[in-house]
Amino acid sequence: MRKLLCLMKLLLIGHLVSVSPLVMGDATTLSWQDLLPELDDSLNLDDGISWGERVRIDLNEEDVRIPGFMVPLEYKEREVVTRFLLVPYFGACIHEPPPPPNQTIYAVFEPGYELEEIWQPVWIEGKISVSRVEEDLATASYSVSATTIEPYD
């Protein structure tokens, strides 16, 4: 039942973000689909690069805001997360196989974020870069130096 509620919440997040591509301050609100390159005639799919490894170079160094679930990698103190993977659905990397690299974001938030419940979605905001980071739990094709983290309400 808990998984179903989390899945429903994630679908709602995806819907809200995809329906309203807002600009909050200088940060552009992204959906997870926005991290995928446009599938058009200019994309060479015979180059040996898997779809899960393809990224959007044009997002590099942009200020973005994106919702997701935190997979903690490093704690500053008990339950204060400073390094984490942001993933599009609850349970990714922990209970299920990780999402592809272009659907995983490595993030650093130096002040730390007190994560009360791991299944609670959050908004992160910061500068995104296209950079591959390999962690034990998953590989990320994007990194964000987070300036703001807040609960997704």
Side-chain angles (χ1 to χ4, degrees):
M1 181 67 164
R2 208 176 249 189
K3 274 190 171 185
L4 179 61
L5 288 174
C6 289
L7 180 59
M8 289 173 52
K9 191 179 267 189
L10 178 62
L11 290 173
L12 177 62
I13 290 170
H15 174 72
L16 291 174
V17 172
S18 65
V19 170
S20 59
L22 305 173
V23 177
M24 308 286 285
D26 290 337
T28 302
T29 300
L30 297 178
S31 70
W32 287 91
Q33 293 84 0
D34 293 329
L35 298 178
L36 301 173
E38 187 112 6
L39 187 57
D40 60 20
D41 293 338
S42 67
L43 191 61
N44 177 8
L45 296 176
D46 294 330
D47 58 7
I49 300 172
S50 73
W51 184 250
E53 298 281 337
R54 295 178 183 277
V55 294
R56 289 205 26 217
I57 302 296
D58 62 307
L59 290 176
N60 202 37
E61 300 302 314
E62 292 290 322
D63 289 318
V64 300
R65 178 175 165 92
I66 188 167
F69 293 87
M70 295 173 78
V71 178
L73 297 171
E74 184 175 286
Y75 293 91
K76 186 176 186 178
E77 298 170 9
R78 186 173 182 261
E79 296 181 12
V80 177
V81 181
T82 54
R83 286 187 329 110
F84 59 95
L85 297 173
L86 189 74
V87 295
Y89 54 89
F90 174 72
C93 307
I94 297 173
H95 303 296
E96 299 177 13
N102 63 11
Q103 294 292 285
T104 305
I105 299 172
Y106 170 81
V108 175
F109 186 60
E110 288 300 326
Y113 180 78
E114 188 170 337
L115 184 62
E116 294 177 17
E117 305 291 344
I118 198 164
W119 57 81
Q120 294 295 323
V122 295
W123 283 103
I124 69 165
E125 188 172 323
K127 193 168 294 288
I128 195 168
S129 61
V130 177
S131 63
R132 185 177 179 89
V133 176
E134 294 183 18
E135 289 289 335
D136 289 340
L137 295 173
T139 298
S141 290
Y142 296 98
S143 296
V144 169
S145 178
T147 55
T148 305
I149 299 177
E150 57 191 33
Y152 184 93
D153 290 321

